[in-house]
Amino acid sequence: MAARFVNVDYDTPLILPPNLRDWVPAKHLAHFILDAAEEMDLRQIRVNERGTGSEQYPPRMLLALLLYCYATGVFGSRRMEQATYDSVPVRMICSDTHPDHDTICSFRAQNKALVQETFVRVLELAQALKFLQVGQITVAVDGTKVLANASKHAAVSYEHAGKTIEQLELEVKELLSKAEQADSTPLEEGLSIPEEVQRRQERKAKLASARAQIEARAKARAAAEMAQYQAKLAERQAQKDKGQKPRGPAPQEPEQQPKGSDQYNFTDPESRIMKAGSGQHFEQSYNAQAAVEVESRLIVGQRVSQAPNDKQELVPTVAAIAQPVKSVANVLTDSGFYSEAAVQNVEQTCEGRPTGTTVYAALEKKDHHRTVRDLEQKPEPVAPEPPASISEIMKHRLQTTEGKTRYKLRQQTVEPVFGIIKSVLGFRQFLLRGVGKVSLEWELVCLAYNLKRLHVLARGIKNGDAGLKISGKNTVDLETKEPGSAGSVEAGGRRSWFGQQMASSDFLLPLYRRVFRPVRGFV
């Protein structure tokens, strides 16, 4: 019998479906994002109400384009423009129009407030669909280094800049002396003494500016550490007044002079040199922070830091958790975030009252290998007697059965999220420069991840036309109409996923309308 092949015909004309939504499967991510964007509140978008100039692209379409491209690993505006020609889902989102890269880039840069609002609305939608608990959630906090759009070779250290300035001053004097000598040795062809002097003076001015920036950073760092230093002194003095011996070495006063290794990058001055690859090498990076809810694995808080380590990042990252999350019951984090001051600030208010949040933080790094002794059943440890330090309380907290169970959730919650963002979405380097723009880009990445995650939760894990059932805590059954569920979904139907929920659930309709406030006048 002769070999058989599927018939591939490039010449026969085909008639595409007249509805653009039929170009992609009914359960595709593009439908989910497009329907979500159509229900967002866009009253804060700046548009040309006069009608002058060229026709504007609808803001909803540009928002959906950004979200879908970020969710599928397309981050550059030029690649997004190309995708409007090459990608069928993107052509469907853009209604077969082709916004240029400058329009896409300008829309992204000018609408940071819209991105922040959309991030909150998506979390509210997750709460409405019972995927995200309203309050008393457990979050895992961690940070990851993301490369800056700058080379580490374009940076200079404070010490090296000083030596280079001295060298340039000597070279300028030598060139001026050579110019005064009538019998001086001529320079190579094409080089002139005035140009060489000017080039060295310009470089000297840039290096001097870099050293000034480094010195300003050192003073700001010392000022921030001074309050903590004075608090430690007051605590030690209080212990001495009570006749107690202070623990540990005496604190050192923060130095206002910069270290010789402090660096300044000429391409992106706001980025920092940071350890990468488990501390094996250094890269020019930003510290991207995220707080992930352990049940849904949705990112509920995010921010970008310039700090090369996480020692001071616990408090601001917990504070960055979005408003839809009414309260946080537990915070899980590793030893890199731990400090007694940070734990106290999270668990207590300034007046000393408890906030209702409990921190579970490792005090030191531990080997993943478990010995036979670790496998043996042990009785519950005895709680430390007052006045116990925060470190003693934390050590006991992690040795309890409840503490061990909770802390195990950390590495299986936030670390997979970073793995998906870097390996699946492919986001390993920022394209923009500066903390403000980089923060916008990171929020877009987290928003795109949440939409993709929410889409997976809504579809369920079953394959085929029948399975949209989702099981587990804080989830709903889309195959039934039992009280509290999101209603039924017809497999393979053309109606949008949001439309199916609204049509099939009397419970979700008023809540859905309250979460998303449609605005007339936008397509």
Side-chain angles (χ1 to χ4, degrees), residues 91-326:
R91 294 191 73 151
M92 186 271 291
I93 290 175
C94 296
S95 189
D96 210 20
T97 61
H98 309 285
D100 61 275
H101 64 273
D102 186 62
T103 299
I104 298 172
C105 188
S106 298
F107 180 84
R108 176 176 56 186
Q110 296 172 3
N111 291 286
K112 183 176 183 179
L114 172 64
V115 176
Q116 295 173 342
E117 178 76 9
T118 305
F119 184 86
V120 173
R121 296 304 173 196
V122 169
L123 293 180
E124 290 179 347
L125 173 63
Q127 290 177 339
L129 298 178
K130 309 299 183 183
F131 294 135
L132 180 63
Q133 192 172 324
V134 175
Q136 293 298 301
I137 67 171
T138 298
V139 298
V141 174
D142 205 352
T144 183
K145 306 301 189 299
V146 180
L147 296 176
N149 189 5
S151 172
K152 64 181 179 181
H153 301 294
V156 62
S157 68
Y158 184 79
E159 182 179 3
H160 182 70
K163 293 180 179 179
T164 306
I165 288 176
E166 294 177 0
Q167 178 65 26
L168 290 174
E169 290 176 348
L170 293 176
E171 292 180 0
V172 169
K173 291 181 180 179
E174 184 179 353
L175 287 171
L176 293 177
S177 175
K178 185 180 287 291
E180 294 175 357
Q181 297 176 4
D183 57 346
S184 62
T185 304
L187 300 177
E188 294 184 7
E189 186 176 357
L191 298 179
S192 65
I193 290 179
E195 292 177 357
E196 290 298 315
V197 171
Q198 182 180 1
R199 186 172 68 86
R200 282 162 173 77
Q201 289 177 341
E202 291 175 354
R203 188 181 178 191
K204 176 185 171 183
K206 290 182 179 180
L207 290 172
S209 175
R211 282 175 61 89
Q213 291 285 344
I214 295 175
E215 291 170 356
R217 292 176 187 172
K219 291 181 180 179
R221 182 174 63 236
E225 295 174 354
M226 184 59 68
Q228 185 177 1
Y229 166 73
Q230 293 177 349
K232 290 181 178 179
L233 286 181
E235 182 180 359
R236 291 176 66 88
Q237 185 60 42
Q239 292 176 350
K240 291 180 180 179
D241 295 340
K242 295 179 181 179
Q244 300 175 356
K245 183 179 179 181
R247 300 178 181 179
Q252 299 295 325
E253 184 177 357
E255 296 183 3
Q256 301 209 1
Q257 289 299 320
K259 301 177 183 178
S261 58
D262 290 349
Q263 294 198 3
Y264 177 89
N265 191 280
F266 292 99
T267 305
D268 186 357
E270 298 183 22
S271 63
R272 299 292 185 268
I273 194 77
M274 300 180 184
K275 284 185 178 181
S278 301
Q280 301 299 321
H281 62 282
F282 291 86
E283 295 290 351
Q284 200 72 29
S285 307
Y286 284 96
N287 190 350
Q289 300 280 315
V292 181
E293 200 270 329
V294 297
E295 294 290 343
S296 63
R297 292 187 183 176
L298 291 171
I299 300 175
V300 296
Q302 50 72 38
R303 54 183 288 272
V304 173
S305 171
Q306 298 170 289
N309 58 61
D310 299 325
K311 212 56 162 179
Q312 306 293 331
E313 303 307 310
L314 180 61
V315 175
T317 301
V318 173
I321 295 177
Q323 287 299 323
V325 180
K326 301 300 182 182

